[in-house]
Amino acid sequence: MALNLRQKQTECIIRMLNLNQTVINPVGGGVGTANEEVYKILIYDRFCQDILSPLIHVKDLRKHGVTLYFLVDKDRKPVHDVPAVYFVQPTQLNIQRIVSDTSRALYDSFHLNFSSSIPRPLLEDLASGAVNSDSIQRISKVHDQYLEFVTLEDNLFSLANKNCYVQLNDPSSGDKEIEEIIEKIVSGLFCVLATLAVVPIIRCPRGGPSEMVASLLDQRLRDHLLAKNNLFTEGGNFTSSFQRPILCIFDRNFELSVAIQHEFRYKPLVHDVLGMRLNRLNVKGEKGGMKSYELDHSDPFWMANGSLEFPEVAVEIEMQLNKYKKDVEEVNRRTGGNAGPEFNGSDLIGNTKFLMSAVNSLPELTERKQVIDKHTNIATALLGEIKERSLDSYAKMESEMMIRGGIDKNELLSMLRGKGDKMDKLRFAIMYLISTESLSPSEVEMVEVALRESEVDTSAFQYVKKIKSLNIALASANSANRSNIVDWAEKLYGQSISAVTAGVKNLLSSAHQVALTRTVDALMEGKPNPEIDSYLVFDPRAPKSTSGSNSSHLKGPFKEAIIFMIGGGNYVEHGSLQDLAHSQQPVKHVIYGTTEILTGGEFVEQLAVLGKKMGLGSSDIAPAIK
Amino acid sequence: MAKVRDRTEDFKDSVRRAALNLGYDESKTATIMASFILHKTRERSPFTKASMKTLESIGALEKFLMKHKKDYLDLRRTTEQERDSIEHEVTVFINSCREQIDVLKNSINHEQSSSKGWLGIRSDNLNADTIAHKHGVVLILSEKLHSVTSQFDQLRAIRFQDAINRVTPRRKLKSGIKNVTESSNSNNFQSRGNSEVREDNEVQAEPIRVQQQVLDDETRALQVELASMLDAVQETESKMVEMSALNHLMSTHVLQQAQQIEFLYEQAVEATKNVQLGNKELSQAIQRNSSSRTFLLLFLFKYKNCRRFGNGSIDIGTALTSPYLCLIH
């Protein structure tokens, strides 16, 4: 059972658009019997707009009978004879708007769908508002959709929780705020699991937000499974014999380097440099106008070549272009150029056949040309940026640093004084901090001076320096018991930073692999491994009393995994997890999710905010502009 | 597929509690709760009713097409005439659906224009959202019809392809036969030549054989003529098939471009109109400029003269006018 999150979410949304009646697919389209409620109006809020936009296009909406679509905030006029489908988050503001809409009788009937479970008090508010305005008869149905997450690809999702890392690592955050954030993350994860309709086995490292999220999620699932008509009753008997997937929850502090590093593969480059958002991209076209492109599963070139390094991508585009030119020439030759001296009757009929087949193949050819044009434009834009900021040398140097565990002083300084904008230099400096095993204070001084020369705001740099120094101080002070370090760090900052040591340890290995991938591999294998033995296990289906001894199946090799990163993730981790999944025999399936998809620059900005909150960093330099 | 949680029951509970809180008595609460179960049959506007009907007819068309698809495509199940009749029926059906859609579209425009007559005061039914919704409905209907007709076009394309394929091997075969007959004819001529030589030697001996020969020749000539006529007929037939195929091509694929070509044409026309307007404006501006120039000159002269006879500050007046005069020149 391959977990395809995007497909499942799309199905749920289509069902919602059909007013939550089971969609029977009659032969030849959905027009079998004229359903009373064929035409409808869709109303959503901004968060749900982000959910809908990667999944459905406007013309698909029309296929399901949606004639108009509005934001709930917009001023709308009454339209008679139509049911309205609302898809909003359950917040106070949205409820007020709905109540005002019903009292104004904007539409004939209201089908309310909330992206996650609407809490009791808000439901009562809605009820009392509707009764007050005497408009109960217009509200037909109220549903909880459990769709509060954004799916970008078949196996990539995000909860769109902004600034999660800052809030979790902020030393001034109180317990209440942290609990709120954990609550939001857990409800988002719950929605994902409800859409997939699986109850996984949860594993997480000890301590920190990941443990909090895992235990709360376990609790939530247990409570829910006790209910009679829960969302997870497996449909047929076939599904119950399949193995359950594993859900691994990690915190961003587990491996900071991946979020900051400069990468040179196509997908991460497009995301980092050109600012792709919700699979949409704005690029300067050939003739100077801004063009908007969509990069998702319907683009075969993107799907096939997203994980290649940039030079290889350029080669691929060349190849596709040549193939296309050859095909077009062939079509032209066969249909057009035969009006020569050999023109006779028999040629003509052959001509018509070729003409017919050529015309049939024209749409396909045009589509291919469009895809090639699109990627040529994107690659050209990328090339311009790369040359200007010499991103290739940054990427190379950073990966060398990570492998070697250090860098020559002169190389370091020459990079910092060379090309690249402020954010690039800051990221490079932070990578230097993370990758070097033993930092000499003089070198760090020089780096800071170089950064200040380039007018870079060093708060993020200071923050990472402080964290690292703290960790090393802890390590040297009490190196015997690792868990004690963790407890002490927790007490001090409210969360675990022991992972920085883990990160440093990882760098000593010769082949630099993303640490997350290695850990996930070990977890999925299920064999005893010193790295992961300390990880906690939660099984929501098992009764609380049983201990972990007879849970042999919990640790066996897993075929499917859901990996969740708290605090921010990116396409690099996603790509490396997919490589892992495809390189196994038999092929495994891995879904990667995170609270927020961040580019390197955005993550470093969050680090800078943290640095400023801790009072580090010089305040007389203008903040780093990307 | 994942289940969805229906909270309507919870909502009903909350409604009941809210009604009690507000102090509604039993009967009122009962009516409110009843409204959940009994849905008031809503009066549907004529537009909606018409659009539902059109939707039904498009659905019926699709079902018809599906039913006869197999018969249409399989060469053995139907004859050419039956296929033609199916095509004819479908075309008539499509036309009627299109007319219905046009009627709906016209009704929207008509409503829009007639409402404007009332001093621009629009009734509640004709706000922008409703009009957009109606346009959306018409768009959905026309898209559905479009998809059904494209399916039908595909079927027709397959039919033409089959027809051409059938004709081509016959042509090849026929051209093979033609060669054979040609070669046999040449053989005949050759043998005739030979036999003629021989005949000269035995001219009187076999007048019967000569007669036979002549008869044979005549038969062969007739054969050749028949064969060539058959050729011509088959060529015409294949040309007709080709023409219909090309016609089909033109009507489906090239006409798709027609809208765009029309649009481009209209844009070009507009562009020329704009350029003309622009030219007119420019010439007017030039005229105004020149007339204003003379105006300004006159005005300044007057001002200069007045100033001369006003205060004694002649210098300011001349100082003011001279730079202006310089500028204008």
Side-chain angles (χ1 to χ4, degrees):
Chain A
M1 176 172 68
L3 301 175
N4 187 338
L5 188 58
R6 185 185 55 82
Q7 205 182 6
K8 294 222 156 93
Q9 199 178 19
T10 319
E11 278 172 12
C12 290
I13 290 191
I14 292 179
R15 181 183 58 198
M16 173 183 75
L17 288 179
N18 283 302
L19 306 179
N20 293 305
Q21 295 147 0
T22 39
V23 175
I24 336 142
N25 267 332
V27 173
V31 188
T33 44
N35 202 352
E36 277 287 299
E37 318 267 20
V38 162
Y39 303 116
K40 38 195 104 76
I41 300 190
L42 175 65
I43 309 202
Y44 45 77
D45 66 356
R46 278 193 205 282
F47 188 83
C48 295
Q49 189 181 25
D50 287 346
I51 297 179
L52 289 172
S53 72
L55 294 175
I56 301 196
H57 297 143
V58 170
K59 39 185 181 358
D60 295 334
L61 279 181
R62 275 205 290 272
K63 237 188 342 188
H64 299 286
V66 176
T67 55
L68 296 176
Y69 45 95
F70 295 114
L71 266 180
V72 76
D73 304 329
K74 224 174 81 135
D75 205 17
R76 283 163 283 126
K77 304 270 179 355
V79 181
H80 295 302
D81 275 349
V82 231
V85 177
Y86 276 72
F87 181 46
V88 292
Q89 270 188 307
T91 63
Q92 187 70 24
L93 194 56
N94 285 337
I95 298 285
Q96 280 170 6
R97 279 225 143 242
I98 295 177
V99 167
S100 80
D101 286 348
T102 50
S103 53
R104 277 166 60 201
L106 283 183
Y107 312 109
D108 270 357
S109 70
F110 288 70
H111 295 258
L112 305 176
N113 297 285
F114 295 102
S115 56
S116 63
S117 186
I118 176 170
R120 203 73 201 205
L122 282 180
L123 197 60
E124 314 228 327
D125 281 347
L126 176 64
S128 52
V131 167
N132 264 335
S133 55
D134 195 25
S135 48
I136 286 290
Q137 70 276 15
R138 286 193 208 102
I139 301 187
S140 325
K141 294 243 170 225
V142 178
H143 285 272
D144 287 343
Q145 288 291 339
Y146 292 107
L147 289 175
E148 205 166 51
F149 56 95
V150 181
T151 308
L152 293 171
E153 287 181 25
D154 284 356
N155 40 30
L156 173 65
F157 71 89
S158 136
L159 297 182
N161 284 344
K162 294 211 178 302
N163 292 328
C164 187
Y165 184 77
V166 170
Q167 288 164 340
L168 281 175
N169 289 297
D170 190 354
S172 64
S173 304
D175 276 343
K176 193 164 151 316
E177 281 144 3
I178 300 220
E179 267 176 33
E180 258 178 43
I181 300 169
I182 303 282
E183 171 67 39
K184 255 195 347 183
I185 298 177
V186 166
S187 90
L189 270 178
F190 185 78
C191 291
V192 172
L193 295 178
T195 310
L196 289 172
V198 289
V199 180
I201 295 169
I202 309 175
R203 296 207 69 173
C204 65
R206 276 186 201 278
S210 34
E211 186 177 348
M212 290 196 257
V213 167
S215 59
L216 188 57
L217 182 63
D218 178 52
Q219 192 59 44
R220 179 73 64 87
L221 283 170
R222 272 180 205 278
D223 292 339
H224 190 81
L225 286 172
L226 291 173
K228 204 169 41 160
N229 193 10
N230 63 57
L231 294 165
F232 297 101
T233 43
E234 268 112 324
N237 293 329
F238 310 100
T239 51
S240 53
S241 60
F242 272 70
Q243 216 179 19
R244 289 157 66 189
I246 181 174
L247 167 64
C248 312
I249 305 183
F250 294 98
D251 182 50
R252 183 71 264 168
N253 287 322
F254 180 76
E255 190 180 13
L256 277 182
S257 58
V258 176
I260 303 175
Q261 212 173 357
H262 284 101
E263 258 289 326
F264 214 54
R265 289 170 193 259
Y266 195 34
K267 257 189 207 163
L269 264 180
V270 169
H271 177 234
D272 202 3
V273 174
L274 296 177
M276 176 168 72
R277 201 183 160 267
L278 292 176
N279 291 343
R280 287 204 153 268
L281 184 57
N282 285 328
V283 174
K284 209 157 193 294
E286 284 171 348
K287 285 149 193 152
M290 289 298 273
K291 291 202 179 173
S292 167
Y293 291 125
E294 179 132 357
L295 293 167
D296 59 1
H297 62 100
S298 66
D299 183 341
F301 187 86
W302 177 250
M303 285 288 114
N305 303 317
S307 53
L308 294 179
E309 303 259 335
F310 185 65
E312 291 166 21
V313 169
V315 165
E316 271 290 316
I317 298 181
E318 251 326 292
M319 236 174 56
Q320 296 276 343
L321 189 61
N322 288 336
K323 218 167 67 150
Y324 168 79
K325 281 195 190 148
K326 235 178 31 175
D327 287 341
V328 167
E329 251 183 57
E330 173 140 350
V331 165
N332 278 339
R333 188 174 52 86
R334 287 171 125 202
T335 59
N338 267 356
E342 301 146 28
F343 184 80
N344 57 15
S346 61
D347 249 10
L348 188 60
I349 197 166
N351 235 2
T352 315
K353 248 189 6 179
F354 286 136
L355 197 65
M356 282 182 88
S357 60
V359 170
N360 282 337
S361 65
L362 269 181
E364 186 211 327
L365 282 175
T366 2
E367 230 184 85
R368 266 168 64 186
K369 183 71 181 16
Q370 270 177 0
V371 168
I372 295 176
D373 278 343
K374 171 164 94 172
H375 284 279
T376 315
N377 276 340
I378 294 177
T380 320
L382 272 180
L383 191 62
E385 286 282 325
I386 291 176
K387 275 210 250 195
E388 206 184 291
R389 290 154 61 177
S390 73
L391 290 173
D392 51 337
S393 48
Y394 274 112
K396 205 165 63 112
M397 298 291 287
E398 281 171 10
S399 79
E400 268 181 33
M401 270 202 300
M402 293 295 282
I403 296 178
R404 281 194 300 185
I407 186 175
D408 183 36
K409 193 174 66 177
N410 293 327
E411 280 177 12
L412 171 66
L413 288 172
S414 66
M415 282 303 294
L416 285 174
R417 294 204 180 104
K419 284 202 282 188
D421 63 10
K422 298 180 187 173
M423 188 49 78
D424 290 329
K425 295 188 180 155
L426 186 57
R427 278 163 75 177
F428 188 70
I430 296 180
M431 285 303 294
Y432 158 70
L433 268 184
I434 296 179
S435 61
T436 316
E437 298 140 11
S438 51
L439 292 171
S440 66
S442 59
E443 262 188 33
V444 175
E445 248 327 292
M446 279 199 307
V447 167
E448 285 185 26
V449 165
L451 282 179
R452 273 196 214 109
E453 274 175 26
S454 321
E455 293 180 8
V456 176
D457 177 20
T458 51
S459 347
F461 185 78
Q462 308 287 353
Y463 177 73
V464 178
K465 193 171 79 167
K466 177 121 193 192
I467 295 291
K468 190 150 184 199
S469 68
L470 202 69
N471 217 35
I472 292 183
L474 297 172
S476 61
N478 196 349
S479 51
N481 200 345
R482 206 160 145 241
S483 58
N484 277 354
I485 299 173
V486 168
D487 287 342
W488 198 67
E490 260 186 322
K491 262 189 275 167
L492 202 56
Y493 286 104
Q495 67 281 324
S496 157
I497 45 173
S498 63
V500 180
T501 30
V504 171
K505 242 198 308 185
N506 290 332
L507 301 170
L508 297 178
S509 63
S510 52
H512 171 62
Q513 203 186 9
V514 174
L516 183 70
T517 318
R518 275 212 323 277
T519 320
V520 166
D521 195 12
L523 282 169
M524 280 179 82
E525 285 292 310
K527 302 201 182 74
N529 185 330
E531 258 183 46
I532 58 160
D533 275 344
S534 64
Y535 280 28
L536 301 167
V537 181
F538 295 91
D539 183 4
R541 276 207 191 271
K544 264 206 159 107
S545 49
T546 55
S547 58
S549 53
N550 58 345
S551 55
S552 55
H553 75 281
L554 290 182
K555 305 224 174 149
F558 290 97
K559 281 207 270 267
E560 287 148 358
I562 308 171
I563 315 293
F564 189 73
M565 176 63 75
I566 304 176
N570 59 13
Y571 282 92
V572 180
E573 284 184 330
H574 172 66
S576 83
L577 281 173
Q578 292 308 313
D579 287 341
L580 167 73
H582 288 152
S583 64
Q584 307 253 339
Q585 288 295 338
V587 171
K588 304 202 173 169
H589 293 102
V590 175
I591 297 184
Y592 173 71
T594 168
T595 48
E596 213 187 344
I597 304 248
L598 294 169
T599 65
E602 288 165 1
F603 185 68
V604 168
E605 271 169 25
Q606 291 196 11
L607 289 176
V609 168
L610 277 174
K612 286 204 185 73
K613 282 200 182 195
M614 288 175 67
L616 307 163
S618 39
S619 49
D620 47 330
I621 307 286
I625 315 164
K626 227 196 311 186
Chain B
M1 193 157 59
K3 292 214 186 104
V4 72
R5 245 244 193 109
D6 191 347
R7 301 293 296 276
T8 322
E9 291 301 324
D10 290 341
F11 182 64
K12 283 192 206 167
D13 282 341
S14 324
V15 165
R16 194 179 293 127
R17 215 171 306 147
L20 290 173
N21 282 347
L22 284 171
Y24 286 8
D25 57 356
E26 272 305 308
S27 59
K28 253 191 149 172
T29 324
T31 25
I32 293 182
M33 298 313 293
S35 68
F36 273 119
I37 311 170
L38 301 166
H39 287 280
K40 211 167 35 161
T41 45
R42 288 179 290 267
E43 197 30 62
R44 287 195 176 274
S45 73
F47 182 86
T48 324
K49 285 196 204 128
S51 63
M52 292 291 183
K53 213 162 60 96
T54 318
L55 196 62
E56 266 183 53
S57 33
I58 298 183
L61 169 65
E62 211 173 338
K63 270 202 278 227
F64 176 79
L65 207 58
M66 284 297 125
K67 211 166 54 156
H68 291 274
K69 181 164 136 170
K70 258 182 136 178
D71 298 338
Y72 186 80
L73 286 179
D74 199 336
L75 288 171
R76 282 172 285 280
R77 286 163 83 141
T78 44
T79 64
E80 292 290 326
Q81 279 166 333
E82 283 177 19
R83 255 175 258 156
D84 284 337
S85 75
I86 292 177
E87 267 185 34
H88 181 71
E89 267 184 62
V90 172
T91 329
V92 161
F93 213 151
I94 289 177
N95 279 334
S96 75
C97 288
R98 202 176 333 139
E99 273 166 35
Q100 284 179 10
I101 296 179
D102 282 340
V103 159
L104 283 172
K105 212 191 304 190
N106 289 336
S107 77
I108 306 175
N109 294 336
H110 183 67
E111 267 181 21
Q112 242 182 317
S113 52
S114 67
S115 76
K116 281 198 182 135
W118 290 89
L119 302 165
I121 302 169
R122 288 210 191 141
S123 74
D124 188 41
N125 279 336
L126 294 170
N127 56 61
D129 284 0
T130 316
I131 295 176
H133 166 71
K134 288 186 180 168
H135 278 296
V137 169
V138 168
L139 194 59
I140 291 181
L141 283 172
S142 53
E143 273 181 1
K144 277 219 162 80
L145 186 62
H146 195 73
S147 73
V148 173
T149 48
S150 62
Q151 279 180 27
F152 178 59
D153 276 336
Q154 275 175 7
L155 295 180
R156 267 212 291 207
I158 298 177
R159 183 185 174 192
F160 281 123
Q161 195 83 358
D162 283 341
I164 287 189
N165 287 341
R166 258 182 296 144
V167 172
T168 324
R170 225 190 292 161
R171 292 226 58 193
K172 291 213 179 99
L173 195 61
K174 169 188 59 72
S175 57
I177 294 171
K178 205 161 63 159
N179 291 340
V180 167
T181 45
E182 271 175 12
S183 55
S184 62
N185 279 345
S186 56
N187 280 344
N188 285 341
F189 282 130
Q190 267 188 345
S191 52
R192 264 185 61 203
N194 288 346
S195 51
E196 265 180 330
V197 165
R198 263 186 286 134
E199 269 166 39
D200 286 340
N201 295 336
E202 305 163 285
V203 113
Q204 286 119 3
E206 288 130 340
I208 304 169
R209 231 211 276 173
V210 168
Q211 259 192 349
Q212 254 189 351
Q213 207 77 310
V214 167
L215 278 172
D216 280 340
D217 289 344
E218 273 181 21
T219 333
R220 262 181 233 121
L222 274 171
Q223 254 184 353
V224 165
E225 218 183 295
L226 266 175
S228 66
M229 277 204 332
L230 187 65
D231 274 356
V233 163
Q234 278 181 344
E235 232 182 273
T236 327
E237 187 188 38
S238 63
K239 285 218 168 90
M240 288 300 296
V241 168
E242 266 177 62
M243 265 201 354
S244 47
L246 281 170
N247 197 20
H248 164 77
L249 265 183
M250 294 293 146
S251 59
T252 49
H253 296 274
V254 175
L255 274 181
Q256 277 172 5
Q257 311 278 338
Q259 260 189 348
Q260 284 169 324
I261 296 173
E262 255 186 64
F263 181 62
L264 282 171
Y265 171 72
E266 273 166 28
Q267 276 203 322
V269 164
E270 243 192 77
T272 47
K273 258 198 283 189
N274 285 341
V275 168
Q276 274 176 2
L277 276 175
N279 281 339
K280 246 197 297 184
E281 297 281 337
L282 271 174
S283 54
Q284 271 181 16
I286 293 171
Q287 256 187 350
R288 269 189 229 123
N289 197 16
S290 51
S291 64
S292 63
R293 202 189 306 171
T294 45
F295 219 8
L296 196 60
L297 269 173
L298 275 169
F299 180 68
L300 285 171
F301 266 128
K302 269 203 183 140
Y303 177 75
K304 203 167 140 186
N305 293 339
C306 290
R307 292 295 268 165
R308 200 166 273 173
F309 297 123
N311 344 2
S313 52
I314 303 171
D315 295 344
I316 301 176
T318 46
L320 275 172
T321 48
S322 45
Y324 282 117
L325 288 174
C326 298
L327 270 173
I328 289 167
H329 290 296

